[in-house]
């Protein structure tokens, strides 16, 4: 009797532990299927395809480094790299400055949800909607911006010309994303204890001085995180280009992602497109590593 | 940093009431700066919202009216024909007379497709991610932390990289141009959704779970009758965010859907735009279509603004 009562709970515990394993694996099964089929397998498949020639119809043939050699010599590819970088610099620069301004204004002026919601509104519409809306507002002939510009200066501006297409697309995407970025920075600002500002005020520091001496140093790690997160997103610009300019005029706005798309689905050269995707992946991986370094450096700086 | 003594550190609530009092009183040097700051804030809000008004104003105008008075703040020759054209309620002759392309368009259909796809993605992703999050946070099994690390690692895989192989896979599954094909890659999970829910599940007190199990409930039962209802708030927040993301997605549906049978609103809008003649596009119709595509998410946002806005701080710190 006494032995069985001693053994029973043990057996029960062991059975429960075994049940957990079975149940645990059952519960992650659907998610694991998704992970393997749509993250891990494509990753392997994409790298493999980059060493092949593949057009969807016939089986892929292994061509070694041919795609990469072609990439290095492809002027359109390098043009796409330059155009993408131009986009990233304008988009990130403008967006970060504006988002920082909005976040600080929100923190120092009002914590109102209404204000925060208004700033976020463009983020709720798709890139396609944003592109359509600005195509109309910036239209050469009937768009309201050029109507006003013409009455003021006498001449219209072609916002989608070869020299302005990328800056225009960058600004359109700033309009859509700046509220989201501002809210991320705002969340970071909220973590700075208000006592620090009150102390600053007691010491007679101006708002400007408090921004540079308190806000910026304490915000640095979060700012670095936000900056690099938005940068990874902005390297993958596609929707706005696809709707607004289709890469044109000529190649003026043919960003990397659009060139990859065009190569795969316009010319069915999946191997070459995959090689370029690997190139982009390496750039993004480098940025991610940089993020690790920068945020970690920021943390030690704080303590 | 200047160390703060307790006496000079009032609570933040006191501080903010003090600040509002200062801003209302006609007082000192702060006022000019505050006025400038508010001006900047109002300008930013106008920059945010005016484009939406301009779309509405254009959609309600006639194409002839737009050409005659391009800067009028109010709709010119106000009518609903732009919307009628977009929703397929105008005959081809009427559409052509109003400046439309005459191509058949029926946004009701794409609206329905978008609802089907976004619902499939949201229900699947949130439910399966909740199951995985429960397993990662509440169940004990060997190798759990390693598997979770692999899930988190998938956060790093950029979408451009998965798009081409995923297309090949969906094609091999013969799911091109089907709702399932459009929904599949995000239907099972996203690493972020799993992580988001795990954070909340971990905070549910273990005592509640143990009490339920003493009452004879199985772990499966605990998940359905205890964990899911208790995490209603984060689950619905995630569902709203997922729905919006799925609704606004463009690149993947563009690759996968070729015909009306699976085409979603974002793609339909882009197609509608590409059909518009380069000379004298149907701006009234295009802007009506833009509004039709944007309105459902704007309404959803109005209903859940506070929840969405407050969750963004959390999503950022991932």
């Amino acid at each position: 009797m006494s032995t069985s009562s001693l053994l029973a709970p043990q057996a029960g515990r062991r059975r429960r532990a075994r049940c957990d394993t079975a149940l645990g694996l059952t519960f992650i099964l659907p998610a694991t299927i998704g992970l393997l089929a749509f993250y891990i397998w494509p990753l392997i498949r994409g790298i493999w395809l980059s060493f092949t020639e593949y057009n969807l119809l016939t089986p892929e043939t292994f061509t070694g480094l041919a795609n990469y050699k072609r990439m290095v010599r492809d002027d359109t590819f390098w043009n796409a790299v330059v155009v993408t970088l131009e986009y990233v610099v304008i988009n990130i620069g403008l967006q970060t400055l504006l988002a920082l301004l909005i976040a600080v204004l929100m923190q120092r002026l009002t914590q109102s949800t209404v204000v925060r919601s208004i700033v976020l509104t463009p983020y709720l519409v798709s890139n396609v909607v944003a592109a359509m809306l600005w195509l109309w507002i910036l239209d050469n002939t009937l768009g309201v911006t050029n109507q006003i510009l013409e009455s003021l200066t006498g001449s219209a501006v072609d916002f989608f010309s070869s020299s302005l297409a990328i800056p225009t697309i960058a600004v359109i995407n700033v309009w859509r994303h700046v509220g989201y970025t501002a809210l991320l920075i705002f969340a970071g600002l909220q973590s700075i204890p208000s006592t620090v500002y009150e102390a600053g005020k007691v010491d007679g520091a101006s708002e400007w001085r408090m921004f540079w001496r308190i806000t910026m140093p304490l915000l640095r790690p979060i700012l670095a995180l936000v900056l690099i997160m938005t940068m990874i997103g902005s390297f993958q610009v596609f929707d706005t280009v696809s709707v607004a300019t289709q890469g044109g005029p000529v190649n003026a706005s043919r960003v990397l992602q659009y060139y990859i798309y065009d190569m795969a689905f316009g010319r069915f050269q999946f191997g070459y497109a995959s090689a370029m995707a690997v190139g982009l992946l390496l750039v993004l991986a480098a940025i991610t590593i940089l993020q690790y370094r920068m945020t970690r450096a920021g943390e030690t700086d704080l303590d | 940093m200047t160390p703060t003594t307790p006496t000079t550190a009032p609570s933040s609530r006191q501080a903010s009431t003090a600040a509002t009092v200062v801003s209302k009183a006609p007082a000192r040097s702060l006022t000019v700066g505050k006025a400038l700051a508010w001006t900047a804030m109002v300008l930013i809000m106008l920059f945010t919202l005016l484009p939406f008004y301009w779309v509405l104003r254009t959609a309600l105008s006639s194409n002839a009216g737009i050409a005659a008075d391009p800067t009028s703040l109010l709709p010119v020759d106000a009518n609903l024909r732009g919307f009628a054209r977009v929703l397929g309620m105008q005959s081809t002759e009427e559409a052509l007379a109003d400046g439309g392309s005459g191509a058949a368009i029926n946004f009701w259909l794409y609206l329905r497709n978008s609802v089907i796809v976004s619902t499939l993605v949201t229900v699947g992703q949130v439910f399966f991610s909740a199951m995985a999050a429960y397993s990662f946070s509440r169940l004990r099994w060997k190798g759990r932390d390693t598997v979770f690390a692999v899930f988190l690692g998938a956060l790093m895989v950029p979408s451009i990289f998965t798009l081409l192989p995923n297309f090949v896979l969906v094609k091999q599954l013969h799911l091109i141009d089907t709702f399932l094909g459009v929904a599949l890659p995000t239907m099972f999970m996203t690493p972020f959704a799993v992580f988001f829910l795990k954070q909340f599940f971990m905070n549910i007190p273990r005592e509640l779970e143990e009490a339920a199990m003493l009452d004879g409930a199985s772990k499966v039962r605990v998940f359905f009758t205890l964990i899911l209802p208790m995490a209603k708030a984060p689950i619905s927040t995630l569902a709203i965010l997922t729905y919006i993301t799925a609704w606004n997605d463009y690149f993947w549906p563009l690759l996968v859907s070729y015909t009306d049978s699976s085409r979603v609103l974002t793609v339909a809008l882009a197609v509608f735009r590409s059909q518009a003649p380069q000379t004298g596009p149907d701006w009234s119709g295009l802007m009506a279509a833009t509004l039709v595509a944007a309105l459902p998410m704007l309404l959803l946002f109005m209903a859940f603004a506070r929840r969405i806005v407050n969750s963004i701080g959390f999503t950022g710190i991932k």
Side-chain angles (χ1 to χ4, degrees), chain A residues 191-260:
Chain A
S191 66
I192 300 175
S194 60
T195 49
V196 184
Y197 287 102
E198 280 143 23
K201 216 172 256 172
V202 168
D203 290 349
S206 64
E207 284 284 335
W208 187 245
R209 209 179 147 80
M210 287 205 282
F211 174 76
W212 285 110
R213 291 296 170 84
I214 300 172
T215 309
M216 280 310 270
L218 290 177
L219 195 61
R220 226 188 66 187
I222 287 154
L223 207 56
L225 188 80
V226 169
L227 198 69
I228 288 169
M229 260 175 51
T230 50
M231 200 181 285
I232 289 177
S234 107
F235 260 99
Q236 302 180 64
V237 55
F238 174 82
D239 302 1
T240 323
V241 172
S242 165
V243 175
T245 64
Q246 282 99 45
V250 196
N251 282 332
S253 64
R254 190 172 300 272
V255 291
L256 214 40
Q257 179 121 316
Y258 194 81
Y259 190 42
I260 295 172

Side-chain angles (χ1 to χ4, degrees), chain B residues 7-283:
Chain B
T7 44
T8 58
S11 79
S12 61
R13 182 171 295 161
Q14 278 172 327
S16 67
T17 26
T20 29
V21 168
V22 169
S23 73
K24 273 173 191 163
R28 294 194 294 279
S29 61
L30 267 175
T31 330
V32 179
K34 270 244 160 85
L36 272 177
W38 270 112
T39 314
M41 198 76 210
V42 168
L43 282 177
I44 288 163
M45 288 195 275
L46 284 179
F47 173 66
T48 306
L49 290 183
L50 275 184
F52 289 113
Y53 174 70
W54 205 248
V55 169
L56 178 68
R57 170 258 179 212
T58 309
L60 292 173
S61 304
S62 71
N63 277 314
I66 293 167
D69 192 355
T71 51
S72 156
L73 284 176
L74 290 172
V76 195
D77 181 18
N79 66 80
L80 291 170
R81 295 200 298 273
F83 288 98
R85 190 150 63 252
V86 163
L87 297 173
M89 286 153 29
Q90 245 185 358
S91 70
T92 314
E93 294 77 36
E94 281 175 310
L96 284 171
D98 281 339
S101 71
I105 22 168
N106 189 352
F107 268 68
W108 285 123
L109 179 69
Y110 308 125
L111 204 64
R112 187 203 70 175
N113 290 356
S114 271
V115 169
I116 293 174
V117 166
S118 306
T119 307
L120 270 176
V121 168
T122 305
V123 171
Q125 187 188 121
V126 173
F127 183 68
F128 294 143
S129 297
M131 279 172 65
Y134 177 65
S135 180
F136 284 130
S137 62
R138 293 308 201 156
L139 301 177
R140 241 168 294 199
W141 44 280
K142 216 176 156 205
R144 189 182 73 170
D145 295 345
T146 318
V147 176
F148 183 65
V150 175
F151 268 78
L152 269 193
L155 266 176
M156 304 287 169
V157 183
S159 60
I160 173 63
F161 207 73
T162 51
L163 283 173
L164 302 183
N166 277 350
F167 176 80
V168 177
L169 178 67
V170 167
K171 192 176 164 59
Q172 283 165 346
L173 293 172
H174 301 291
L175 288 173
I176 293 291
D177 211 17
T178 63
F179 291 131
L180 202 57
V182 182
L184 215 54
T186 41
M187 222 177 90
F188 290 104
M189 65 124 210
T190 61
F192 171 70
V194 175
F195 174 71
F196 183 90
L197 290 179
K198 184 190 175 235
Q199 291 303 99
F200 286 100
F201 288 177
M202 278 186 336
N203 292 333
I204 294 173
R206 205 162 267 284
E207 288 75 28
L208 285 171
E209 200 177 331
E210 273 157 11
M213 289 181 58
L214 276 180
D215 289 347
S218 67
K219 294 229 163 173
V220 178
R221 217 185 136 87
V222 166
F223 174 68
F224 281 102
T225 59
L226 192 78
I227 303 283
L228 284 187
M230 282 196 73
K232 210 158 46 183
I235 286 175
S236 50
T237 302
L238 180 69
I240 297 162
L241 291 176
T242 309
Y243 203 85
I244 292 171
T245 312
W247 187 277
N248 286 340
D249 197 13
Y250 172 66
F251 202 168
W252 176 253
L254 173 73
L255 301 186
V256 176
S257 52
Y258 291 138
T259 67
D260 280 354
S261 64
S262 77
R263 185 170 285 160
V264 295
L265 257 180
T266 46
V267 180
L269 184 60
V271 170
F272 188 42
R273 133 98 179 132
S274 66
Q275 283 172 346
Q278 285 302 308
T279 51
D282 168 19
W283 284 117

